[in-house]
């Protein structure tokens, strides 16, 4: 058995988790807060010494929770999320039930998409209709682009390197465009029954073909129902049309400005060439199919008749580690830790391989503008230096991990000085089962795929299942956009 060694030119590196300098493993903000509390307690103890018997243990317990980790996050944040979620369950705010309203009122989508609405716009540059998702609370607009589900595993090394460079140029162009707040790329894999492929093969089959060729075709038709899947990739770009000196006056001008900004992004040569901008029918289909698992093969007329509120679920329950909705039960994961080594361009291939259940893999991006990126990397160098210096003063030398972290921070600063951009990104995965009984199998399928990546560490999206579910859809919600 042979293994394929990926050339270094096809590896991606430069990942680093932001970290501040504080006492022990505390962040800088947590250190300042705890020091302030201790100073306040000391001042009060001058007049009421007995108060220390109550306040000091509470402060020390809070400091211990802030310093310890749970599932890759501060334990204090984890338990605070537990308490907030239980309070939300008690107030019944994690449940959604649709209510029939008389005309002209309409239902909103649940959760983070409640303030969104879908606008059908006409793009004069292409002559096609475009579906624009408008966030009425912030004024932001999101346009999605359908991509060709191509692959680069069989492509020459030079082609893959070119695709990586082109995608880096796309991210660079986002940093100089103040209107673009963030972007996300989603790949949805829907297992298919295979009947369409079998019918197509039978229709094109030549009876005069050799017997061996016909036997191969027969075997393909026989196994196709268990091995086919539909792959639907798209890219969503969130735009603030008012981020200019002369802000658009009305809704039409804001939509036109949004389309102008999105059209300036050239995705050609990235390895996933654009097919077209998502129409309002495309957006409705993707959203309705995610919630109901019944719209993927529906006709265009059926989808067009759906209102924006009808695309969402009639009932949904946002639980601690799962999200129950019309068509089944979903569970989502988020990135736990940045890769600590260069990864191959095909690192996500196990997650992108078809399985028994529908799956969405979403990469969310927020590109920092050049000035903000420079401030971030310089601040990270200072923090890395302070941590190494403090450890050396206590133990006589800095930790090897701290030295490596300082080297990474310095290398990132040098790259930014050479024109590179700082990108904040995260990875989210959602899988959907038809019933709660099938959910353990779906969860195990994704856990195995995550383990096979060997470089990606993820955790369940505790108390944020509905939000992560919505982040993988063209609804205009990006968790990295403030």
């Amino acid at each position: 058995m042979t293994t394929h060694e990926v050339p270094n030119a096809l590896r991606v590196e430069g990942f680093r988790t932001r970290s501040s300098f504080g006492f022990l493993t505390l962040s800088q903000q947590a250190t300042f807060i705890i020091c302030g509390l201790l100073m306040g307690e000391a001042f009060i103890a001058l007049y009421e010494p007995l108060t220390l018997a109550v306040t000091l243990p509470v402060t020390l317990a809070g400091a211990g929770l802030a310093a310890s980790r749970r599932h890759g996050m501060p334990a204090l944040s984890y338990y605070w999320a537990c308490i907030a979620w239980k309070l939300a369950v008690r107030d019944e705010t994690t449940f959604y039930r649709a209510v029939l309203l008389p005309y002209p009122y309409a239902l909103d989508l649940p959760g983070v998409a409640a303030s969104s609405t879908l606008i059908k716009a006409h793009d004069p540059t292409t002559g096609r209709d475009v579906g624009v998702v408008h966030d009425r609370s912030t004024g932001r607009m999101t346009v999605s682009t359908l991509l060709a589900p191509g692959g680069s595993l069989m492509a020459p090394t030079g082609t893959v390197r070119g695709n990586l460079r082109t995608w880096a140029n796309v991210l660079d162009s986002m940093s100089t465009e103040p209107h673009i707040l963030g972007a996300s790329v989603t790949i949805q894999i829907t297992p298919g029954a295979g009947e369409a492929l079998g019918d197509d093969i039978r229709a094109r089959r030549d009876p005069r073909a050799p017997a061996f060729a016909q036997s191969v075709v027969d075997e393909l038709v026989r196994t196709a129902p268990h091995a086919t899947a539909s792959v639907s990739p798209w890219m969503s770009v969130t735009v603030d049309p008012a981020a200019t000196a002369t802000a658009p006056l009305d809704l039409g001008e804001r939509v036109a400005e949004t389309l102008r900004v999105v059209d300036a992004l050239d995705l050609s040569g990235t390895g996933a060439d654009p097919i077209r901008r998502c129409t309002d029918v495309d957006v409705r289909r993707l959203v309705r199919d995610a919630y109901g698992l019944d719209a993927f093969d529906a006709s265009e007329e059926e989808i067009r008749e759906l209102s924006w509120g009808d695309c969402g679920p009639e009932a949904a329950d946002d639980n601690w580690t799962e999200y129950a909705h019309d068509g089944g039960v979903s569970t989502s994961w988020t990135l736990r830790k940045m890769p600590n080594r260069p990864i191959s361009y095909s690192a996500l291939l196990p997650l992108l391989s078809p399985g028994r259940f529908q799956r969405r893999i979403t990469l969310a991006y927020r590109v920092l503008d050049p000035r903000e990126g420079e401030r971030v990397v310089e601040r990270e160098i200072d923090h890395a230096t302070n941590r190494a210096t403090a450890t050396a003063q206590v133990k006589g030398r800095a930790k090897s991990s701290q030295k490596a972290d300082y080297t990474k921070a310095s290398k990132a600063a040098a790259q930014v000085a050479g024109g590179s951009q700082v990108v904040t990104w995260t990875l989210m995965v959602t899988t959907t089962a038809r019933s709660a009984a099938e959910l353990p199998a779906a969860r195990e399928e994704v856990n195995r795929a995550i383990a096979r990546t060997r470089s990606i560490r993820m955790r369940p999206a505790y108390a944020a299942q509905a939000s992560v579910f919505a982040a993988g859809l063209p609804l205009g919600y990006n968790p990295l956009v403030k």
Side-chain angles (χ1 to χ4, degrees):
M1 180 179 179
T2 59
T3 58
H4 174 63
E5 182 67 23
V6 178
N8 290 331
L10 301 185
R11 294 185 179 273
V12 183
E13 59 180 349
F15 308 110
R16 186 177 179 276
T17 303
R18 291 192 195 182
S19 57
S20 59
F21 172 67
F23 180 71
L24 297 177
T25 58
L26 291 173
S27 64
Q28 189 177 50
Q29 182 180 10
T31 301
F32 287 153
I33 292 175
I34 292 173
C35 289
L37 291 175
L38 291 176
M39 292 177 62
E41 292 172 2
F43 179 78
I44 296 175
L46 294 176
Y47 303 95
E48 296 291 341
L50 294 179
T51 58
L52 290 177
V54 177
T55 59
L56 187 59
V58 173
T59 302
L60 295 179
L65 290 174
S68 60
R69 311 290 290 183
R70 184 75 186 272
H71 301 293
M73 68 180 79
L76 185 62
S77 300
Y78 175 81
Y79 291 115
W80 180 259
C82 291
I83 296 173
W85 179 78
K86 290 181 179 179
L87 292 176
V89 172
R90 188 190 64 178
D91 296 337
E92 297 184 352
T93 58
T94 59
F95 308 139
Y96 172 82
R97 298 295 182 270
V99 179
L100 295 178
L101 298 175
Y103 182 83
Y105 301 100
L107 296 172
D108 292 327
L109 295 178
V112 294
S115 61
S116 66
T117 185
L118 182 61
I119 300 173
K120 180 180 179 181
H122 180 75
D123 189 355
T125 59
T126 60
R128 298 175 179 267
D129 292 333
V130 179
V132 180
V133 178
H134 177 217
D135 190 330
R136 292 167 292 184
S137 63
T138 62
R140 299 166 182 167
M141 296 187 176
T142 301
V143 176
S144 300
T145 304
L146 296 179
L147 306 176
S152 55
L153 293 179
M154 303 292 290
T157 300
T159 301
V160 179
R161 292 180 61 183
N163 293 339
L164 294 175
R165 286 195 299 267
T166 304
W167 179 245
N169 293 334
V170 172
L171 295 179
D172 286 345
S173 63
M174 292 183 186
S175 66
T176 57
E177 179 56 70
H179 295 81
I180 297 180
L181 303 178
S184 63
V185 177
T186 300
I187 301 178
Q188 177 174 288
I189 301 100
T190 304
E195 285 85 356
L197 178 61
D199 294 340
D200 182 67
I201 291 177
R202 294 187 187 95
R204 300 170 59 185
R205 179 174 177 175
D206 188 353
R208 297 170 297 177
F212 177 74
Q214 294 194 34
S215 64
V216 171
V217 171
D218 292 338
E219 180 67 15
L220 176 62
V221 173
R222 186 182 66 84
T223 59
H226 306 285
T228 59
S230 300
V231 181
S232 303
W234 65 84
M235 179 178 180
S236 300
V237 180
T238 301
V239 176
D240 182 7
T244 179
T246 57
L249 299 178
D250 56 16
L251 183 61
E253 291 183 0
R254 292 196 292 269
V255 171
E257 182 68 13
T258 299
L259 295 179
R260 182 197 66 79
V261 172
V262 176
D263 287 340
L265 291 178
D266 186 10
L267 301 180
S268 302
T270 59
D273 294 332
I275 299 177
R276 68 174 187 274
R277 303 294 181 205
C278 281
T279 64
D280 59 313
V281 175
D282 294 329
V283 176
R284 287 190 180 97
R285 184 187 302 276
L286 292 174
V287 175
R288 180 57 213 165
D289 182 68
Y291 282 108
L293 297 181
D294 56 0
F296 192 80
D297 296 322
S299 64
E300 186 171 345
E301 290 74 16
E302 294 175 343
I303 300 300
R304 186 179 286 109
E305 293 177 355
L306 294 175
S307 66
W308 184 235
D310 293 335
C311 296
E314 294 184 4
D317 294 338
D318 187 9
N319 299 316
W320 180 249
T321 57
E322 61 190 43
Y323 182 55
H325 45 89
D326 287 355
V329 186
S330 298
T331 183
S332 301
W333 290 258
T334 59
L335 187 67
R336 176 175 178 173
K337 185 180 180 181
M338 289 288 178
N340 56 6
R341 60 181 178 179
I343 61 175
S344 167
Y345 73 102
S346 58
L348 297 180
L349 184 61
L351 284 171
L352 300 175
S353 301
R356 291 175 52 198
F357 305 94
Q358 186 184 78
R359 188 186 308 167
R360 280 188 304 278
I361 299 91
T362 302
L363 277 165
Y365 299 91
R366 186 174 75 89
V367 185
L368 279 60
D369 65 76
R371 291 184 179 180
E372 182 182 1
E374 184 177 356
R375 290 195 300 268
V376 167
V377 295
E378 291 296 336
R379 186 165 58 246
E380 291 299 308
I381 289 180
D382 293 339
H383 293 163
T385 303
N386 292 335
R387 284 192 298 271
T389 303
T391 304
Q393 291 176 350
V394 175
K395 296 185 176 181
R397 67 176 183 86
K399 296 180 180 179
S400 299
S401 59
Q402 293 174 338
K403 295 179 181 179
D405 184 63
Y406 173 79
T407 302
K408 280 186 177 182
S410 300
K411 185 176 180 179
Q415 291 174 340
V416 170
S420 299
Q421 305 301 330
V422 180
V423 180
T424 301
W425 67 277
T426 188
L427 176 66
M428 296 166 285
V429 178
T430 298
T431 186
T432 302
R434 290 282 182 177
S435 63
E438 295 181 345
L439 186 61
R443 184 179 284 114
E444 182 181 3
E445 183 179 85
V446 175
N447 284 330
R448 288 179 178 177
I450 294 174
R452 288 200 302 271
T453 62
R454 299 184 179 181
S455 56
I456 305 296
R457 299 185 63 185
M458 307 192 70
R459 62 170 177 83
Y462 299 110
Q465 290 290 318
S467 300
V468 177
F469 182 93
L473 299 175
L475 294 173
Y477 172 68
N478 189 325
L480 299 182
V481 176
K482 300 179 180 179

